[in-house]
Amino acid sequence: MSKTSTIGSELGDDKGRRFVFVLLENFTLLSFASAIDCLRLANRRLGREHYTWNLCGEGGDATNCSTGTSLKLDTDLEELHRDDTIVLCGGADVQQATTKRLLNWLRREARRGPAIVGLCTASYTMAKAGLLDGKRATIHWENQDSFAEEFEEIELSKAVFTADGNRMTTAGGTASIDLFLKIIAQDLGEEVANWVADQQIYNSIRTDQDTQRLSVPTRIGVRHPKLSMVIQMMEANIEEPISPSLLAKEVGMSTRQLERLFRRYLNRSPKRYYMELRLQKARNLLMQTDMSVINVALACGFASPSHFSKCYRAHYETTPYRERGSQSARLSV
């Protein structure tokens, strides 16, 4: 008997498992494809369909993904089976895609007690529906600032994926592979999960202890321990910026030495680099939340709206108010 059929026999009369992929408008194709391909390959390893899946969404017709390609749906948002696993697939403009009808459907289905997974920005949809209250969750690093501001009751993680009871979330991209390999390992064993990873040429399986972003040295292309330490302190202290003199003192340098270090490796002053970090967070909050411009300014360490507006315009060549206005106009199209 082949090894494939042996695995199938060991599972006996197992009835299998169905995943219902809920595709939000502009969902991230990579996150969705990574997840569903893990299930396809697991079936191939078993030699039978242990996993099945269904594609659904509002209207039940078709949904556009992040590349602009339209995917045909199997069903509208309908009543599911008790044992189904719901997989929400988010992407760009998740706030707009999280409609009242979707939230009502999700809350109703959640009362049945199914496992619910949020891929990429779909963690926002789960949080908006109240499904992550008091739980640990993650979301793509670009959306972390706005998520933390809006959902203070949720323990936000920087991990590639989280699993808290029957609520699972991923950071997006290939993190779907890591989570679904974990699911497959729990359902069918490590051997099947490792075989799936091998088929995908995925040779470094991550756990919920692995963080999303590249290390600071890798991100900036510079391996200097003191420079990395200073940047990490800057990133951790956006709302209440630390002075360059104190940053320098923390790493055992003079302010002048710190200036030279930043000029040499990053071609800008520590003050300028710090300002760019703060403005990037501000832009994320303006684009992804309904926070007032004043509150965005305060969250990013600006003492007054006028100073914030001046710095923002110098960097982005537009004002925070116009940025917010252009975002609203784009979402209404």
Side-chain angles (χ1 to χ4, degrees):
M1 182 182 291
S2 70
K3 196 167 185 178
T4 299
S5 58
T6 299
I7 293 173
S9 299
E10 287 173 353
L11 289 171
D13 297 327
D14 179 49
K15 62 181 180 180
R17 183 172 180 179
R18 187 175 84 140
F19 289 80
V20 177
F21 287 87
V22 184
L23 307 184
L24 279 64
E25 189 68 22
N26 291 322
F27 70 94
T28 302
L29 183 59
L30 178 58
S31 294
F32 163 70
S34 297
I36 206 167
D37 203 51
C38 286
L39 303 179
R40 176 189 70 83
L41 286 167
N43 285 345
R44 180 182 162 197
R45 179 69 185 92
L46 296 177
R48 61 186 179 84
E49 287 194 348
H50 174 78
Y51 293 120
T52 57
W53 49 84
N54 189 49
L55 308 185
C56 78
E58 287 192 72
D61 184 19
T63 303
N64 293 323
C65 68
S66 54
T67 66
T69 303
S70 180
L71 267 71
K72 188 178 184 304
L73 301 175
D74 298 312
T75 62
D76 198 342
L77 299 175
E78 59 183 24
E79 185 175 317
L80 305 180
H81 304 140
R82 185 180 299 274
D83 296 330
D84 287 341
T85 296
I86 299 172
V87 185
L88 296 162
C89 303
D93 303 331
V94 67
Q95 291 91 343
Q96 185 186 29
T98 302
T99 64
K100 184 176 180 180
R101 183 182 176 220
L102 174 61
L103 289 173
N104 289 338
W105 174 84
L106 189 56
R107 290 175 184 131
R108 185 182 69 245
E109 292 301 321
R111 286 196 285 270
R112 301 172 185 271
I116 302 178
V117 180
L119 303 184
C120 196
T121 60
S123 307
Y124 172 88
T125 307
M126 293 174 68
K128 200 72 175 174
L131 306 185
L132 295 176
D133 291 356
K135 292 187 177 294
R136 187 167 176 265
T138 192
I139 195 169
H140 191 280
W141 62 264
E142 197 172 41
N143 301 83
Q144 292 232 336
D145 292 332
S146 57
F147 190 95
E149 291 286 344
E150 187 167 353
F151 305 108
E152 296 180 359
E153 69 281 5
I154 298 171
E155 182 186 346
L156 185 60
S157 167
K158 294 183 178 180
V160 291
F161 72 84
T162 64
D164 192 339
N166 63 354
R167 300 287 185 265
M168 292 162 273
T169 54
T170 78
T174 57
S176 295
I177 297 178
D178 302 294
L179 175 59
F180 273 74
L181 288 176
K182 178 183 175 70
I183 291 171
I184 291 168
Q186 290 174 337
D187 290 352
L188 305 172
E190 294 285 347
E191 192 275 337
V192 177
N194 290 339
W195 186 91
V196 170
D198 215 21
Q199 286 293 313
Q200 294 176 319
I201 321 296
Y202 199 71
N203 57 15
S204 183
I205 302 173
R206 296 169 295 183
T207 72
D208 57 2
Q209 300 302 308
D210 291 297
T211 56
Q212 297 177 29
R213 301 198 70 184
L214 298 172
S215 66
V216 170
T218 303
R219 251 189 289 149
I220 65 176
V222 177
R223 295 196 176 277
H224 191 293
K226 291 189 176 182
L227 181 62
S228 297
M229 288 173 63
V230 170
I231 291 175
Q232 286 171 5
M233 284 189 285
M234 287 177 172
E235 292 178 343
N237 294 275
I238 297 293
E239 189 168 349
E240 297 182 6
I242 304 173
S243 68
S245 59
L246 187 54
L247 288 169
K249 184 178 179 181
E250 288 290 327
V251 295
M253 302 177 74
S254 69
T255 305
R256 183 169 293 182
Q257 287 174 320
L258 186 64
E259 287 275 351
R260 287 201 296 263
L261 187 64
F262 268 77
R263 290 289 182 188
R264 177 182 176 186
Y265 289 110
L266 299 174
N267 196 32
R268 53 176 64 80
S269 68
K271 185 178 179 181
R272 183 69 230 170
Y273 188 89
Y274 210 166
M275 176 63 73
E276 289 173 1
L277 289 178
R278 293 160 59 199
L279 290 171
Q280 180 59 62
K281 176 176 178 177
R283 189 168 191 269
N284 286 343
L285 294 178
L286 287 169
M287 302 289 277
Q288 299 170 13
T289 74
D290 294 325
M291 290 173 65
S292 68
V293 172
I294 293 174
N295 285 336
V296 169
L298 294 173
C300 299
F302 294 93
S304 71
S306 59
H307 181 225
F308 171 50
S309 186
K310 180 181 178 181
C311 294
Y312 198 95
R313 183 167 189 165
H315 189 64
Y316 289 115
E317 298 183 344
T318 188
T319 67
Y321 296 94
R322 288 175 181 167
E323 189 85 273
R324 169 61 59 75
S326 65
Q327 171 70 354
S328 299
R330 186 170 67 85
L331 292 180
S332 65
V333 173

